[in-house]
Amino acid sequence: IGLALAEALARRGRNLLLVARHREALEAIAAELAQRFSVEVLIRACDLSKPIQLTGLLMELEEGTYSIDLLVNNAGLGTSGAFVAQDWLQEQQLIEVNMLALARLCHSVGNVMAGQGNGQILNVASVAAFQPGAWMANYYASKAYVLHLSEALREELKEHGVGVSVLC
């Protein structure tokens, strides 16, 4: 989904800042998009499950010279199997990425957008957000969080010229 969204935005002439864990994959994608669509594509390797790396990214975005008018929160992790049988560290990483990183990015970038008086946030959830999901309980719950946070932020930020959408 993330690659398709990046390509669609680049096709429309949008400059991009791509964030993902693996620098090599980012470099290849950035080079291809920049070459095919004549847009600027910056990359940042960042593991959003690591709070210190996320904090560094947020500081760069807040203090940088970027003019961000669109935030796409697409990063996500999933696990499957009985919740109590899962490795807790993997479940914690899912929470860190699917909920905490998304919320921190919405808070930080949403605040900047509100100050600018414009912007758009797109959070990627899932149809899983609409129901409980045995054997993927944490994933389904995290996507419900994304859906409800997005709906609430849409109301809170609209008076500041910032739109919030959620893709399910």
Side-chain angles (χ1 to χ4, degrees):
I1 294 173
L3 179 58
L5 289 170
E7 185 174 319
L9 291 167
R11 181 177 286 114
R12 289 169 175 81
R14 302 289 300 259
N15 294 326
L16 304 170
L17 171 60
L18 304 177
V19 178
R21 288 178 286 181
H22 303 292
R23 177 171 297 282
E24 298 80 25
L26 280 173
E27 289 171 345
I29 292 167
E32 178 188 343
L33 292 175
Q35 191 267 332
R36 281 178 57 203
F37 301 109
S38 299
V39 295
E40 182 179 6
V41 183
L42 302 174
I43 62 168
R44 295 297 175 269
C46 178
D47 184 342
L48 297 176
S49 72
K50 308 253 186 282
I52 192 79
Q53 289 187 33
L54 176 57
T55 298
L57 174 65
L58 291 172
M59 288 175 60
E60 180 180 355
L61 294 177
E62 291 169 356
E63 297 170 4
T65 59
Y66 308 113
S67 176
I68 300 173
D69 62 354
L70 173 63
L71 169 66
V72 178
N73 277 313
N74 177 66
L77 299 175
T79 57
S80 62
F83 177 74
V84 297
Q86 296 301 307
D87 175 71
W88 175 248
L89 292 179
Q90 288 184 342
E91 295 301 311
Q92 182 174 332
Q93 284 184 325
L94 184 152
I95 292 167
E96 290 281 353
V97 172
N98 294 12
M99 297 187 308
L100 293 175
L102 179 136
R104 287 188 69 194
L105 283 158
C106 284
H107 183 266
S108 178
V109 176
N111 189 42
V112 171
M113 289 177 175
Q116 295 171 173
N118 67 4
Q120 178 69 35
I121 297 171
L122 172 61
N123 291 324
V124 177
S126 168
V127 294
F130 297 98
Q131 60 200 356
W135 314 115
M136 291 184 77
N138 203 18
Y139 175 80
Y140 276 57
S142 74
K143 294 305 179 175
Y145 174 85
V146 172
L147 173 64
H148 293 288
L149 178 69
S150 300
E151 290 175 337
L153 290 179
R154 177 176 31 248
E155 290 304 310
E156 292 181 16
L157 292 173
K158 70 181 177 183
E159 68 186 54
H160 300 286
V162 180
V164 180
S165 302
V166 60
L167 173 63
C168 296

